[in-house]
Amino acid sequence: MPGQVSDSGASSVVPHSSEAKTTVVYPLHHSLKPPISRLSLSWSRGNSLRVSVFRKPSDDGEAGGKVVEVKLGDGDGEIGDAQWRRIAYCSVSPFALLQSRKNSMLAMSRVSASSSPYGAEWWDYVKEYSREINVLLGGQKLPPRSVIEDPRIVLKKVEEPNCLKAAWELMEIFYADKQTQACTPERLLDWLADYNSLLSGPQPTVHSKLVNFEKELAGLQTIEEDAKYWEAISSALALGWLDIAVKILHLHGSYQLDQLGSRELENGLVEAVAVLISKMPRMRPELAPGKLGECYKTKPDFIKAWETWRAQITKLDCSAFWVECDHRQTREGLKNLLQIMLGNANILSSATCHWIELHVSHLLYIRPFTMGLESMYSLAQKCMQLKPMSSPHKLMRLLLGIVGENIEVVLAECSRSFGPWMVVHAVELLTAGSTQADILLHEERFNLGGISMVELHRLVYAQFLSSHALTWQIAPIYLTSCMKQGMGLLEILLYKQPVQHNKILLKNIEICRLYELDNVRSKITKIAGVHQWKHGKKGFGVFWLQQARDEVRLNRIAQQLFDFVGKSISDESFKQWEGLIELLGSETRTAGGLEFLHKYRDFKRSLQQVHDGIATNAAKKAAESLILLMKNPSTPHRFWLPLLYDSLKLFNWQECPLVNASQTNLLLNKLQELSMARLQPDFIEADLPPQALSSVRLALATNLGRAILEE
């Protein structure tokens, strides 16, 4: 977790505490019978530890072992590995689009010499980015509810909440929607309504209190006489959950048809309080379906409506009808609800369970006109003293960092509790409307090697992605956004990918093409070609070396191939290497040239047609190919005799001589030169029968006589 340099060393960039930390114990389920003789530990993927457990052989000779994986870290296990990978992949597009738009706006501001590159349009981009990330963090969808709603179901759920989505929405409220700061208390109320269940633990919450009440609801006979009934309404009302408060209030026994006549006054008081609750002024543009309250978009209208609403509550609180109400629990419960709406601090404190709930209730009923983070932070400090939490939740630590306007604390909490993904993507919200945060996070730091905090976190996240075989492909998106060290680390990442797998190799090459890393692409394909050639995949090796344009190695391979074919130029040996010769092509520049092998291939094909009994035209074509080969200076001496020996049928053609007198003299001269070349010590003899030379001479002499007579 990046932070300030500690006192223990100037090179340390990770803050640490000298205080002893609580030991974390991870259970190890191996199902082996004792005695256990040995344990072997090694790192697995991600933050998992692979533990090999070996059992000591017993008297009966039974031995064995088991390998289990233990996932380390303080995660709560809300999001599985597959879900994390989905989030990682789906967040690439919004991140890349926002970076592209940011770079475009910076470029335009330089051209126009504008003092601030970000305007109203930029806020729209940030909010769009935040919404897209928020959608992909959605929790598990619950099965659809029944069409006929049960009046005794107090709480409604749309999806299972998770801390990651809760943290993102929290930062979205305070950073992405700064243009609607007047609605921040209302948005915080909605946030707490969605995620109050995540705070439930050793210390109860309003949500857990309502869950317990809902379970006991079916067993209550006279519901309004139970203290838990009024406690549930008070707690829901204190947090602004008006729809829940009114719904529970309508469960009052005076609404039953058989009691309306005898409890008319009591029912009137209950309904009056319910109407006042449902008419509560809300400083927000609109309400979600099913929510209660009256919306006001401007502060003057809201203040006027608030004063009118409070006057109505005060009037009802001082009404003489309370004296005539003879049901004590109803009278006291309703009066308690009126005091909550009037902002009685003691009753609000008793109706809430911990400081964030008390904080929201104060914003609703005591300080409804509060604006600005400074006043919210001072209120939070006061509420923490009144309602401390037994064990601070990570969401609450994050909230305190936000309202305290402490960017370092927010980043540290995101890194510690939610991992590098959260830090990298949340930075875009932190710097959206704060020049101070933008300067702090983009300032180049000497103790970080000359890079900024933003680049450091992106590099850490890219390293995290690179450690897994299923996510390394998206690491380049984040590495290329790091101007100092990103491209260098990207090259290292690409070089480390295995070249024996074609799909990974093709992905590697595509990444090089996208980021114009031609030199890296050339080296990777060269490495792939050498690897494939060494492991017997000659065709793949030649193909990748051609992609790398590695003329040196291609020429070396061509020379080896040339030498091999020259030692045994039989049909079988040539057929074995014909595909590789075709792949290498005739443009390979090597001694002797593969151009000869390609012409020799064409000659062999023509000769095959002659042997198959095809017409004289094919034989003439084969003879022309032979003459061209023998005239070509690139044809080595050691191939002359095999070529002539393969052409014996052409020389002895019955219908007419296929080679004229001058051409026959050329071939005889080649035989004479061959006789001289065979005296050289480096001459390589072809694998031919001993009588091959005499057979060729006899055939040429016979053909010469026939050609002279023909002419």
Side-chain angles (χ1 to χ4, degrees), residues 71 77-87:
K71 190 169 185 179
E78 291 180 316
I79 301 178
D81 292 341
Q83 177 71 358
W84 265 118
R85 289 194 293 271
R86 187 188 71 83
I87 291 173

Side-chain angles (χ1 to χ4, degrees), residues 19 54 77 95 158 196 214 313 331 338 344 353 378 442 444 489 529 535 550 615:
E19 299 178 0
F54 300 93
F95 176 82
V158 179
N196 189 246
E214 189 177 71
I313 297 172
R331 183 177 64 252
L338 292 179
N344 189 309
C353 298
S378 62
H442 287 90
E444 295 181 358
L489 293 176
H535 287 79
D550 189 352

Side-chain angles (χ1 to χ4, degrees), residues 573-617:
S573 63
F574 191 81
K575 187 180 295 183
Q576 178 184 356
W577 297 100
E578 186 176 8
L580 197 57
I581 294 170
E582 178 72 25
L583 185 62
L584 278 167
S586 59
E587 68 276 5
T588 307
R589 296 184 298 273
T590 183
L594 285 184
E595 179 185 0
F596 158 73
L597 292 180
H598 283 270
K599 291 181 177 179
Y600 178 68
R601 177 200 58 195
D602 297 338
F603 167 70
K604 293 289 286 186
R605 287 175 180 172
S606 300
L607 203 60
Q608 183 67 35
Q609 293 177 352
V610 173
H611 289 315
D612 290 343
I614 301 178
T616 307
N617 291 334

Side-chain angles (χ1 to χ4, degrees), residues 141-353:
K141 297 292 182 180
L142 296 178
R145 300 177 62 89
S146 174
V147 177
I148 303 176
E149 185 177 356
D150 187 350
R152 292 180 177 268
I153 294 179
V154 176
L155 300 173
K156 296 180 180 179
K157 289 184 179 180
V158 179
E159 62 182 25
E160 288 291 344
N162 62 76
C163 288
L164 185 64
K165 183 178 176 66
W168 185 268
E169 288 194 8
L170 200 57
M171 288 188 289
E172 186 179 58
I173 292 171
F174 290 95
Y175 295 120
D177 284 349
K178 281 192 174 182
Q179 294 174 318
T180 57
Q181 284 187 347
C183 302
T184 298
E186 283 284 341
R187 293 207 59 190
L188 187 60
L189 181 154
D190 293 341
W191 179 87
L192 187 61
D194 292 334
Y195 301 107
N196 189 246
S197 60
L198 297 175
L199 307 178
S200 301
Q203 187 173 352
T205 61
V206 170
H207 179 272
S208 62
K209 186 186 294 186
L210 291 176
V211 169
N212 295 331
F213 171 72
E214 189 177 71
K215 293 178 181 177
E216 299 175 1
L217 196 56
L220 297 178
Q221 298 296 328
T222 309
I223 191 172
E224 63 272 14
E225 295 181 359
D226 194 300
K228 293 182 180 179
Y229 171 75
W230 297 105
E231 288 178 7
I233 301 176
S234 299
S235 297
L237 181 60
L239 295 189
W241 302 352
L242 307 184
D243 52 328
I244 296 177
V246 171
K247 185 174 184 177
I248 301 176
L249 201 56
H250 283 163
L251 297 176
H252 194 275
S254 63
Y255 283 95
Q256 297 181 11
L257 294 177
D258 58 344
Q259 299 188 33
L260 280 176
S262 58
R263 304 175 67 177
E264 185 177 356
L265 175 61
E266 185 180 349
N267 179 258
L269 290 172
V270 173
E271 185 60 24
V273 173
V275 170
L276 284 174
I277 293 174
S278 62
K279 296 295 183 181
M280 177 181 175
R282 314 287 294 270
M283 184 63 184
R284 58 189 303 157
E286 59 183 3
L287 281 168
K291 300 296 182 180
L292 300 179
E294 294 184 349
C295 298
Y296 295 91
K297 297 181 180 180
T298 61
K299 191 172 182 179
D301 293 341
F302 172 70
I303 294 175
K304 183 177 180 181
W306 180 265
E307 292 175 350
T308 303
W309 181 68
R310 276 292 183 88
Q312 293 173 347
I313 297 172
T314 304
K315 183 178 180 180
L316 179 61
D317 188 44
C318 300
S319 172
F321 290 111
W322 298 107
V323 180
E324 301 178 23
C325 181
D326 55 359
H327 195 279
R328 182 182 59 82
Q329 289 89 344
T330 299
R331 183 177 64 252
E332 293 177 356
L334 293 177
K335 294 280 283 185
N336 196 58
L337 297 180
L338 292 179
Q339 289 301 311
I340 289 176
M341 291 187 284
L342 289 172
N344 189 309
N346 293 329
I347 297 179
L348 286 174
S349 180
S350 62
T352 52
C353 298

Side-chain angles (χ1 to χ4, degrees), residues 68 121 230 260 312 343 350 382 394 458 495 551 555 671:
V68 295
E121 187 179 9
W230 297 105
L260 280 176
Q312 293 173 347
S350 62
K382 177 182 177 181
K394 55 187 176 183
R458 289 178 184 173
Y495 285 136
E551 295 293 339
N555 289 338
L671 272 183

